[in-house]
Amino acid sequence: MSNQTKAGPISFLTELPANIWHSIFRNPLPDSDLGRSATSFTNFFLHIQPVKVHRHSLKLTYTWGLGLISLFLFLILSVTGVLLMFYYVPSTTQAYDRMLDLRGTVAFGIFLRNMHRWAAHGMVAVVFLHMCRVFLTGAYKRPREFNWIIGVGLFLLTMFSSFTGYLLPWDQLAFWAITVGTSIASYAPFVGNDVKFLLLGDTSVGQEALLRFYVLHVAVLPILVTLLIAVHFWRVRKDGGLSRPPEEDEVFPAATPEPVAMAPAAASAVVAVPAPAVKLGEKAQLEKKLYGIQGIVRGPFTKIGNVPDRSVFSWPNLVSLELLVFLITVAGVLIVSLYFNAPLEQPVNIMHPPNPAKAPWYFLGLQEMVSYSAFWGGVGIPTFEVLLLLLVPFLDRKPGGVGKWFARERLLANSLFMTFVILNIVLMIIGIFFRGPNWEFVSPW
Ligand code: HEM
């Protein structure tokens, strides 16, 4: 007879919360190393992370949490975006009215729109800063070249996601920004007009363009970003965790590995590996080396017993930091959304373009260059910049200076990169603040 039948319906009720809890969370809060490993291993969300993580990766001043903030902004955008989809209709006759409804009649509608808009701008900026951090710490070098390339893909997709969303409110700002933005594409030789037509589904911005931008914005681009983020994170694990200076991995004389009590399944996953040819002194040491089944990945900290233990358990060290970064990101977006409303101008009037008609801020550097030369500013230089970014890890093959900000060995690479960044930012600032009617220079003061 089961316990439940013995104890009757009262105990069924009293034990119900605990039984449900234990059916979801199989391990109690851990108080041992084995428990901390099991917490990461057996949780769907936590198992994405390694069981142990190097102390250097936890230094906030190394990553500034920028990759994580990018991820959390993308999550905020996905949640608020789905909620907005309940109200939005991608039709030139309804879109603007739906924006007014969000502002006037939908509970928290304006707040939802603000969160979506500011998180989108934030993501463009933070992903760019994350790219700068990766470059300035030399973290694109072997074996992380491919992850850098995935990152460049993510950067372009982030900009394009923000750009396609810009049109959806169907107000004057949106309409003319996209008109300017897409006309830049038409400066490409031979294919320019075809690319523009493919994007707009017409020769000018109208219903077809709105529908295309909508489908790209709510389905195609988010799916691509999700896929690339998954590969990006997988590569961070497979490349041996985050980059760090070599001295962080110096091998001290190995201590004999402590016998660890393991569950049978985990124990069978651990195999002794014959030592490779090494100097005599090291050989005895390496013969004791054990690898976990995950030892196929690069980097030293999946090896047991032969590395200085500069790693700590992800639970709770990494998880608590991630939670903190998540809370700060959400709080930041909430506060900005509380105080600043996303712009909504007059409904589209194709007879009255604003003067000047400006692209979204992250494309204003391009627009500024276009004002000097349509081809070079709109196509030549941007294509060259993207190619250069993609080739960065293959142009700079020197191994030194990884894992440190502004390392001496990387003075030339960092100076070139900073010149490139500053030039682009200066062009953007000119476009935002110093250009007035007919794209003449004006004083912002
Ligand atoms: C949606 C955009 C992106 C997301 C969500 C994202 C997320 C992350 C996260 C969470 C990390 C680990 C922690 C950190 O460094 O903060 C990381 C590392 C990395 N990311 Fe990104 N990233 C994105 C875009 C980019 C871009 C634009 C690049 C470069 C072009 C890039 C290149 C890298 C590289 C090479 C690493 C490994 C860094 C290291 O080992 O130190 N990522 N990314």
Side-chain angles (χ1 to χ4, degrees), residues 115-145:
M115 283 183 74
H116 196 72
R117 173 65 70 114
W118 302 136
H121 286 325
M123 188 170 164
V124 173
V126 174
V127 169
F128 177 72
L129 290 176
H130 171 60
M131 182 169 77
C132 294
R133 146 6 228 163
V134 170
F135 189 96
L136 295 172
T137 54
Y140 55 82
K141 294 196 180 186
R142 223 172 92 81
R144 298 182 176 80
E145 301 101 319

PDB file of all heavy atoms in Angstrom, residues 115-145:
ATOM      1  N   MET A 115       9.685  50.611 -23.843  1.00  0.00           N
ATOM      2  CA  MET A 115      10.670  49.569 -23.491  1.00  0.00           C
ATOM      3  C   MET A 115      11.258  48.956 -24.756  1.00  0.00           C
ATOM      4  O   MET A 115      12.461  48.737 -24.867  1.00  0.00           O
ATOM      5  CB  MET A 115      10.015  48.459 -22.660  1.00  0.00           C
ATOM      6  CG  MET A 115       9.797  48.840 -21.216  1.00  0.00           C
ATOM      7  SD  MET A 115       9.113  47.466 -20.303  1.00  0.00           S
ATOM      8  CE  MET A 115      10.528  46.401 -20.131  1.00  0.00           C
ATOM      9  N   HIS A 116      10.374  48.690 -25.728  1.00  0.00           N
ATOM     10  CA  HIS A 116      10.844  48.038 -26.954  1.00  0.00           C
ATOM     11  C   HIS A 116      11.800  48.972 -27.709  1.00  0.00           C
ATOM     12  O   HIS A 116      12.868  48.556 -28.149  1.00  0.00           O
ATOM     13  CB  HIS A 116       9.637  47.665 -27.824  1.00  0.00           C
ATOM     14  CG  HIS A 116       9.962  46.675 -28.900  1.00  0.00           C
ATOM     15  ND1 HIS A 116      10.218  45.351 -28.640  1.00  0.00           N
ATOM     16  CD2 HIS A 116      10.097  46.816 -30.250  1.00  0.00           C
ATOM     17  CE1 HIS A 116      10.479  44.723 -29.779  1.00  0.00           C
ATOM     18  NE2 HIS A 116      10.421  45.597 -30.767  1.00  0.00           N
ATOM     19  N   ARG A 117      11.416  50.223 -27.800  1.00  0.00           N
ATOM     20  CA  ARG A 117      12.229  51.175 -28.580  1.00  0.00           C
ATOM     21  C   ARG A 117      13.597  51.398 -27.923  1.00  0.00           C
ATOM     22  O   ARG A 117      14.637  51.323 -28.561  1.00  0.00           O
ATOM     23  CB  ARG A 117      11.452  52.484 -28.710  1.00  0.00           C
ATOM     24  CG  ARG A 117      12.209  53.634 -29.332  1.00  0.00           C
ATOM     25  CD  ARG A 117      12.571  53.388 -30.779  1.00  0.00           C
ATOM     26  NE  ARG A 117      11.413  53.414 -31.651  1.00  0.00           N
ATOM     27  CZ  ARG A 117      11.192  54.326 -32.599  1.00  0.00           C
ATOM     28  NH1 ARG A 117      12.090  55.274 -32.805  1.00  0.00           N
ATOM     29  NH2 ARG A 117      10.120  54.277 -33.344  1.00  0.00           N
ATOM     30  N   TRP A 118      13.590  51.649 -26.596  1.00  0.00           N
ATOM     31  CA  TRP A 118      14.876  51.981 -25.946  1.00  0.00           C
ATOM     32  C   TRP A 118      15.780  50.746 -25.845  1.00  0.00           C
ATOM     33  O   TRP A 118      17.006  50.856 -25.931  1.00  0.00           O
ATOM     34  CB  TRP A 118      14.658  52.639 -24.584  1.00  0.00           C
ATOM     35  CG  TRP A 118      13.830  53.900 -24.678  1.00  0.00           C
ATOM     36  CD1 TRP A 118      12.803  54.267 -23.862  1.00  0.00           C
ATOM     37  CD2 TRP A 118      13.963  54.978 -25.641  1.00  0.00           C
ATOM     38  NE1 TRP A 118      12.267  55.477 -24.259  1.00  0.00           N
ATOM     39  CE2 TRP A 118      12.968  55.934 -25.350  1.00  0.00           C
ATOM     40  CE3 TRP A 118      14.801  55.211 -26.726  1.00  0.00           C
ATOM     41  CZ2 TRP A 118      12.804  57.103 -26.096  1.00  0.00           C
ATOM     42  CZ3 TRP A 118      14.642  56.368 -27.479  1.00  0.00           C
ATOM     43  CH2 TRP A 118      13.663  57.297 -27.158  1.00  0.00           C
ATOM     44  N   ALA A 119      15.166  49.569 -25.649  1.00  0.00           N
ATOM     45  CA  ALA A 119      15.995  48.349 -25.603  1.00  0.00           C
ATOM     46  C   ALA A 119      16.648  48.123 -26.974  1.00  0.00           C
ATOM     47  O   ALA A 119      17.793  47.668 -27.057  1.00  0.00           O
ATOM     48  CB  ALA A 119      15.159  47.147 -25.205  1.00  0.00           C
ATOM     49  N   ALA A 120      15.922  48.474 -28.065  1.00  0.00           N
ATOM     50  CA  ALA A 120      16.478  48.268 -29.413  1.00  0.00           C
ATOM     51  C   ALA A 120      17.680  49.189 -29.635  1.00  0.00           C
ATOM     52  O   ALA A 120      18.736  48.748 -30.099  1.00  0.00           O
ATOM     53  CB  ALA A 120      15.410  48.528 -30.464  1.00  0.00           C
ATOM     54  N   HIS A 121      17.514  50.473 -29.290  1.00  0.00           N
ATOM     55  CA  HIS A 121      18.653  51.387 -29.435  1.00  0.00           C
ATOM     56  C   HIS A 121      19.803  50.925 -28.539  1.00  0.00           C
ATOM     57  O   HIS A 121      20.966  50.947 -28.941  1.00  0.00           O
ATOM     58  CB  HIS A 121      18.244  52.813 -29.040  1.00  0.00           C
ATOM     59  CG  HIS A 121      17.367  53.474 -30.077  1.00  0.00           C
ATOM     60  ND1 HIS A 121      17.515  53.263 -31.413  1.00  0.00           N
ATOM     61  CD2 HIS A 121      16.345  54.353 -29.962  1.00  0.00           C
ATOM     62  CE1 HIS A 121      16.625  53.963 -32.090  1.00  0.00           C
ATOM     63  NE2 HIS A 121      15.890  54.646 -31.229  1.00  0.00           N
ATOM     64  N   GLY A 122      19.440  50.521 -27.315  1.00  0.00           N
ATOM     65  CA  GLY A 122      20.458  50.070 -26.351  1.00  0.00           C
ATOM     66  C   GLY A 122      21.219  48.880 -26.910  1.00  0.00           C
ATOM     67  O   GLY A 122      22.441  48.810 -26.797  1.00  0.00           O
ATOM     68  N   MET A 123      20.493  47.959 -27.549  1.00  0.00           N
ATOM     69  CA  MET A 123      21.171  46.750 -28.038  1.00  0.00           C
ATOM     70  C   MET A 123      22.184  47.095 -29.130  1.00  0.00           C
ATOM     71  O   MET A 123      23.299  46.562 -29.131  1.00  0.00           O
ATOM     72  CB  MET A 123      20.145  45.737 -28.548  1.00  0.00           C
ATOM     73  CG  MET A 123      20.785  44.414 -28.883  1.00  0.00           C
ATOM     74  SD  MET A 123      19.590  43.134 -29.196  1.00  0.00           S
ATOM     75  CE  MET A 123      20.623  41.925 -30.007  1.00  0.00           C
ATOM     76  N   VAL A 124      21.821  48.015 -30.041  1.00  0.00           N
ATOM     77  CA  VAL A 124      22.780  48.409 -31.083  1.00  0.00           C
ATOM     78  C   VAL A 124      24.052  48.939 -30.412  1.00  0.00           C
ATOM     79  O   VAL A 124      25.173  48.542 -30.760  1.00  0.00           O
ATOM     80  CB  VAL A 124      22.180  49.497 -32.016  1.00  0.00           C
ATOM     81  CG1 VAL A 124      23.239  50.023 -32.971  1.00  0.00           C
ATOM     82  CG2 VAL A 124      20.994  48.946 -32.791  1.00  0.00           C
ATOM     83  N   ALA A 125      23.865  49.818 -29.413  1.00  0.00           N
ATOM     84  CA  ALA A 125      25.027  50.440 -28.761  1.00  0.00           C
ATOM     85  C   ALA A 125      25.847  49.405 -27.974  1.00  0.00           C
ATOM     86  O   ALA A 125      27.082  49.375 -28.066  1.00  0.00           O
ATOM     87  CB  ALA A 125      24.558  51.564 -27.840  1.00  0.00           C
ATOM     88  N   VAL A 126      25.147  48.532 -27.219  1.00  0.00           N
ATOM     89  CA  VAL A 126      25.870  47.601 -26.338  1.00  0.00           C
ATOM     90  C   VAL A 126      26.597  46.521 -27.164  1.00  0.00           C
ATOM     91  O   VAL A 126      27.724  46.147 -26.836  1.00  0.00           O
ATOM     92  CB  VAL A 126      24.909  46.973 -25.297  1.00  0.00           C
ATOM     93  CG1 VAL A 126      25.611  45.906 -24.480  1.00  0.00           C
ATOM     94  CG2 VAL A 126      24.367  48.050 -24.369  1.00  0.00           C
ATOM     95  N   VAL A 127      25.957  46.048 -28.233  1.00  0.00           N
ATOM     96  CA  VAL A 127      26.625  45.040 -29.071  1.00  0.00           C
ATOM     97  C   VAL A 127      27.903  45.653 -29.668  1.00  0.00           C
ATOM     98  O   VAL A 127      28.958  45.020 -29.718  1.00  0.00           O
ATOM     99  CB  VAL A 127      25.680  44.525 -30.186  1.00  0.00           C
ATOM    100  CG1 VAL A 127      26.437  43.694 -31.209  1.00  0.00           C
ATOM    101  CG2 VAL A 127      24.563  43.691 -29.579  1.00  0.00           C
ATOM    102  N   PHE A 128      27.817  46.926 -30.060  1.00  0.00           N
ATOM    103  CA  PHE A 128      28.996  47.604 -30.601  1.00  0.00           C
ATOM    104  C   PHE A 128      30.097  47.702 -29.519  1.00  0.00           C
ATOM    105  O   PHE A 128      31.272  47.406 -29.782  1.00  0.00           O
ATOM    106  CB  PHE A 128      28.592  49.001 -31.089  1.00  0.00           C
ATOM    107  CG  PHE A 128      29.750  49.809 -31.587  1.00  0.00           C
ATOM    108  CD1 PHE A 128      30.360  49.494 -32.789  1.00  0.00           C
ATOM    109  CD2 PHE A 128      30.244  50.875 -30.843  1.00  0.00           C
ATOM    110  CE1 PHE A 128      31.441  50.223 -33.244  1.00  0.00           C
ATOM    111  CE2 PHE A 128      31.329  51.605 -31.295  1.00  0.00           C
ATOM    112  CZ  PHE A 128      31.933  51.279 -32.492  1.00  0.00           C
ATOM    113  N   LEU A 129      29.681  48.076 -28.297  1.00  0.00           N
ATOM    114  CA  LEU A 129      30.675  48.178 -27.211  1.00  0.00           C
ATOM    115  C   LEU A 129      31.294  46.817 -26.901  1.00  0.00           C
ATOM    116  O   LEU A 129      32.496  46.701 -26.636  1.00  0.00           O
ATOM    117  CB  LEU A 129      30.019  48.747 -25.948  1.00  0.00           C
ATOM    118  CG  LEU A 129      29.623  50.224 -26.028  1.00  0.00           C
ATOM    119  CD1 LEU A 129      28.906  50.659 -24.758  1.00  0.00           C
ATOM    120  CD2 LEU A 129      30.863  51.099 -26.250  1.00  0.00           C
ATOM    121  N   HIS A 130      30.455  45.762 -26.951  1.00  0.00           N
ATOM    122  CA  HIS A 130      30.954  44.406 -26.709  1.00  0.00           C
ATOM    123  C   HIS A 130      32.017  44.038 -27.765  1.00  0.00           C
ATOM    124  O   HIS A 130      33.061  43.474 -27.444  1.00  0.00           O
ATOM    125  CB  HIS A 130      29.770  43.442 -26.739  1.00  0.00           C
ATOM    126  CG  HIS A 130      30.109  41.992 -26.727  1.00  0.00           C
ATOM    127  ND1 HIS A 130      30.805  41.387 -25.709  1.00  0.00           N
ATOM    128  CD2 HIS A 130      29.860  41.003 -27.639  1.00  0.00           C
ATOM    129  CE1 HIS A 130      30.953  40.099 -25.981  1.00  0.00           C
ATOM    130  NE2 HIS A 130      30.396  39.844 -27.148  1.00  0.00           N
ATOM    131  N   MET A 131      31.734  44.431 -29.014  1.00  0.00           N
ATOM    132  CA  MET A 131      32.703  44.158 -30.080  1.00  0.00           C
ATOM    133  C   MET A 131      34.021  44.896 -29.783  1.00  0.00           C
ATOM    134  O   MET A 131      35.111  44.343 -29.965  1.00  0.00           O
ATOM    135  CB  MET A 131      32.127  44.606 -31.423  1.00  0.00           C
ATOM    136  CG  MET A 131      33.032  44.324 -32.583  1.00  0.00           C
ATOM    137  SD  MET A 131      32.212  44.571 -34.158  1.00  0.00           S
ATOM    138  CE  MET A 131      32.230  46.329 -34.272  1.00  0.00           C
ATOM    139  N   CYS A 132      33.897  46.148 -29.312  1.00  0.00           N
ATOM    140  CA  CYS A 132      35.118  46.909 -28.984  1.00  0.00           C
ATOM    141  C   CYS A 132      35.883  46.221 -27.856  1.00  0.00           C
ATOM    142  O   CYS A 132      37.108  46.095 -27.909  1.00  0.00           O
ATOM    143  CB  CYS A 132      34.760  48.340 -28.548  1.00  0.00           C
ATOM    144  SG  CYS A 132      34.050  49.295 -29.873  1.00  0.00           S
ATOM    145  N   ARG A 133      35.155  45.741 -26.842  1.00  0.00           N
ATOM    146  CA  ARG A 133      35.851  45.070 -25.727  1.00  0.00           C
ATOM    147  C   ARG A 133      36.579  43.826 -26.237  1.00  0.00           C
ATOM    148  O   ARG A 133      37.746  43.597 -25.889  1.00  0.00           O
ATOM    149  CB  ARG A 133      34.845  44.801 -24.653  1.00  0.00           C
ATOM    150  CG  ARG A 133      34.747  43.666 -23.687  1.00  0.00           C
ATOM    151  CD  ARG A 133      35.709  42.605 -23.491  1.00  0.00           C
ATOM    152  NE  ARG A 133      34.988  41.324 -23.484  1.00  0.00           N
ATOM    153  CZ  ARG A 133      35.512  40.164 -23.641  1.00  0.00           C
ATOM    154  NH1 ARG A 133      36.808  40.034 -23.843  1.00  0.00           N
ATOM    155  NH2 ARG A 133      34.793  39.094 -23.627  1.00  0.00           N
ATOM    156  N   VAL A 134      35.908  43.052 -27.101  1.00  0.00           N
ATOM    157  CA  VAL A 134      36.532  41.832 -27.612  1.00  0.00           C
ATOM    158  C   VAL A 134      37.799  42.202 -28.390  1.00  0.00           C
ATOM    159  O   VAL A 134      38.852  41.580 -28.227  1.00  0.00           O
ATOM    160  CB  VAL A 134      35.535  41.043 -28.506  1.00  0.00           C
ATOM    161  CG1 VAL A 134      36.232  39.919 -29.244  1.00  0.00           C
ATOM    162  CG2 VAL A 134      34.402  40.481 -27.657  1.00  0.00           C
ATOM    163  N   PHE A 135      37.723  43.261 -29.198  1.00  0.00           N
ATOM    164  CA  PHE A 135      38.907  43.646 -29.971  1.00  0.00           C
ATOM    165  C   PHE A 135      40.024  44.120 -29.048  1.00  0.00           C
ATOM    166  O   PHE A 135      41.163  43.671 -29.140  1.00  0.00           O
ATOM    167  CB  PHE A 135      38.570  44.754 -30.983  1.00  0.00           C
ATOM    168  CG  PHE A 135      39.715  44.991 -31.927  1.00  0.00           C
ATOM    169  CD1 PHE A 135      39.734  44.386 -33.166  1.00  0.00           C
ATOM    170  CD2 PHE A 135      40.818  45.761 -31.543  1.00  0.00           C
ATOM    171  CE1 PHE A 135      40.815  44.544 -34.022  1.00  0.00           C
ATOM    172  CE2 PHE A 135      41.898  45.930 -32.383  1.00  0.00           C
ATOM    173  CZ  PHE A 135      41.893  45.317 -33.630  1.00  0.00           C
ATOM    174  N   LEU A 136      39.675  45.031 -28.133  1.00  0.00           N
ATOM    175  CA  LEU A 136      40.732  45.675 -27.325  1.00  0.00           C
ATOM    176  C   LEU A 136      41.396  44.714 -26.346  1.00  0.00           C
ATOM    177  O   LEU A 136      42.463  45.000 -25.823  1.00  0.00           O
ATOM    178  CB  LEU A 136      40.140  46.884 -26.588  1.00  0.00           C
ATOM    179  CG  LEU A 136      39.674  48.007 -27.529  1.00  0.00           C
ATOM    180  CD1 LEU A 136      38.925  49.083 -26.775  1.00  0.00           C
ATOM    181  CD2 LEU A 136      40.848  48.611 -28.291  1.00  0.00           C
ATOM    182  N   THR A 137      40.757  43.549 -26.102  1.00  0.00           N
ATOM    183  CA  THR A 137      41.400  42.550 -25.244  1.00  0.00           C
ATOM    184  C   THR A 137      42.001  41.417 -26.095  1.00  0.00           C
ATOM    185  O   THR A 137      42.400  40.391 -25.557  1.00  0.00           O
ATOM    186  CB  THR A 137      40.396  41.942 -24.231  1.00  0.00           C
ATOM    187  OG1 THR A 137      39.274  41.442 -24.966  1.00  0.00           O
ATOM    188  CG2 THR A 137      39.918  42.949 -23.210  1.00  0.00           C
ATOM    189  N   GLY A 138      42.022  41.605 -27.404  1.00  0.00           N
ATOM    190  CA  GLY A 138      42.619  40.597 -28.301  1.00  0.00           C
ATOM    191  C   GLY A 138      41.889  39.261 -28.268  1.00  0.00           C
ATOM    192  O   GLY A 138      42.469  38.227 -28.613  1.00  0.00           O
ATOM    193  N   ALA A 139      40.598  39.280 -27.901  1.00  0.00           N
ATOM    194  CA  ALA A 139      39.891  38.014 -27.679  1.00  0.00           C
ATOM    195  C   ALA A 139      39.428  37.353 -28.978  1.00  0.00           C
ATOM    196  O   ALA A 139      38.810  36.307 -28.941  1.00  0.00           O
ATOM    197  CB  ALA A 139      38.685  38.243 -26.753  1.00  0.00           C
ATOM    198  N   TYR A 140      39.754  37.945 -30.126  1.00  0.00           N
ATOM    199  CA  TYR A 140      39.367  37.339 -31.402  1.00  0.00           C
ATOM    200  C   TYR A 140      40.440  36.386 -31.910  1.00  0.00           C
ATOM    201  O   TYR A 140      40.294  35.746 -32.934  1.00  0.00           O
ATOM    202  CB  TYR A 140      39.141  38.441 -32.456  1.00  0.00           C
ATOM    203  CG  TYR A 140      40.332  39.357 -32.618  1.00  0.00           C
ATOM    204  CD1 TYR A 140      41.407  38.989 -33.415  1.00  0.00           C
ATOM    205  CD2 TYR A 140      40.400  40.565 -31.927  1.00  0.00           C
ATOM    206  CE1 TYR A 140      42.516  39.811 -33.539  1.00  0.00           C
ATOM    207  CE2 TYR A 140      41.497  41.390 -32.044  1.00  0.00           C
ATOM    208  CZ  TYR A 140      42.552  41.009 -32.851  1.00  0.00           C
ATOM    209  OH  TYR A 140      43.649  41.819 -32.953  1.00  0.00           O
ATOM    210  N   LYS A 141      41.556  36.296 -31.164  1.00  0.00           N
ATOM    211  CA  LYS A 141      42.674  35.499 -31.683  1.00  0.00           C
ATOM    212  C   LYS A 141      42.412  34.014 -31.501  1.00  0.00           C
ATOM    213  O   LYS A 141      41.505  33.613 -30.789  1.00  0.00           O
ATOM    214  CB  LYS A 141      43.944  35.911 -30.950  1.00  0.00           C
ATOM    215  CG  LYS A 141      44.320  37.337 -31.273  1.00  0.00           C
ATOM    216  CD  LYS A 141      45.730  37.618 -30.880  1.00  0.00           C
ATOM    217  CE  LYS A 141      46.061  39.042 -31.218  1.00  0.00           C
ATOM    218  NZ  LYS A 141      47.451  39.350 -30.994  1.00  0.00           N
ATOM    219  N   ARG A 142      43.260  33.195 -32.150  1.00  0.00           N
ATOM    220  CA  ARG A 142      43.112  31.754 -32.076  1.00  0.00           C
ATOM    221  C   ARG A 142      42.833  31.308 -30.652  1.00  0.00           C
ATOM    222  O   ARG A 142      43.506  31.797 -29.756  1.00  0.00           O
ATOM    223  CB  ARG A 142      44.415  31.086 -32.545  1.00  0.00           C
ATOM    224  CG  ARG A 142      44.195  29.898 -33.445  1.00  0.00           C
ATOM    225  CD  ARG A 142      45.534  29.462 -33.985  1.00  0.00           C
ATOM    226  NE  ARG A 142      46.109  28.435 -33.106  1.00  0.00           N
ATOM    227  CZ  ARG A 142      45.771  27.176 -33.158  1.00  0.00           C
ATOM    228  NH1 ARG A 142      44.893  26.770 -34.023  1.00  0.00           N
ATOM    229  NH2 ARG A 142      46.314  26.309 -32.350  1.00  0.00           N
ATOM    230  N   PRO A 143      41.880  30.457 -30.352  1.00  0.00           N
ATOM    231  CA  PRO A 143      40.998  29.726 -31.268  1.00  0.00           C
ATOM    232  C   PRO A 143      39.640  30.404 -31.462  1.00  0.00           C
ATOM    233  O   PRO A 143      38.675  29.725 -31.795  1.00  0.00           O
ATOM    234  CB  PRO A 143      40.798  28.416 -30.516  1.00  0.00           C
ATOM    235  CG  PRO A 143      40.758  28.865 -29.069  1.00  0.00           C
ATOM    236  CD  PRO A 143      41.684  30.046 -28.960  1.00  0.00           C
ATOM    237  N   ARG A 144      39.558  31.725 -31.267  1.00  0.00           N
ATOM    238  CA  ARG A 144      38.233  32.352 -31.250  1.00  0.00           C
ATOM    239  C   ARG A 144      37.900  33.087 -32.547  1.00  0.00           C
ATOM    240  O   ARG A 144      36.982  33.898 -32.571  1.00  0.00           O
ATOM    241  CB  ARG A 144      38.144  33.315 -30.052  1.00  0.00           C
ATOM    242  CG  ARG A 144      38.310  32.598 -28.734  1.00  0.00           C
ATOM    243  CD  ARG A 144      38.177  33.461 -27.520  1.00  0.00           C
ATOM    244  NE  ARG A 144      38.253  32.625 -26.327  1.00  0.00           N
ATOM    245  CZ  ARG A 144      39.376  32.171 -25.803  1.00  0.00           C
ATOM    246  NH1 ARG A 144      40.540  32.496 -26.333  1.00  0.00           N
ATOM    247  NH2 ARG A 144      39.351  31.399 -24.744  1.00  0.00           N
ATOM    248  N   GLU A 145      38.657  32.809 -33.620  1.00  0.00           N
ATOM    249  CA  GLU A 145      38.436  33.541 -34.877  1.00  0.00           C
ATOM    250  C   GLU A 145      36.997  33.391 -35.376  1.00  0.00           C
ATOM    251  O   GLU A 145      36.358  34.363 -35.770  1.00  0.00           O
ATOM    252  CB  GLU A 145      39.358  33.031 -35.996  1.00  0.00           C
ATOM    253  CG  GLU A 145      40.831  33.139 -35.720  1.00  0.00           C
ATOM    254  CD  GLU A 145      41.393  31.803 -35.293  1.00  0.00           C
ATOM    255  OE1 GLU A 145      40.729  31.092 -34.510  1.00  0.00           O
ATOM    256  OE2 GLU A 145      42.515  31.453 -35.719  1.00  0.00           O
TER     257      GLU A 145
END
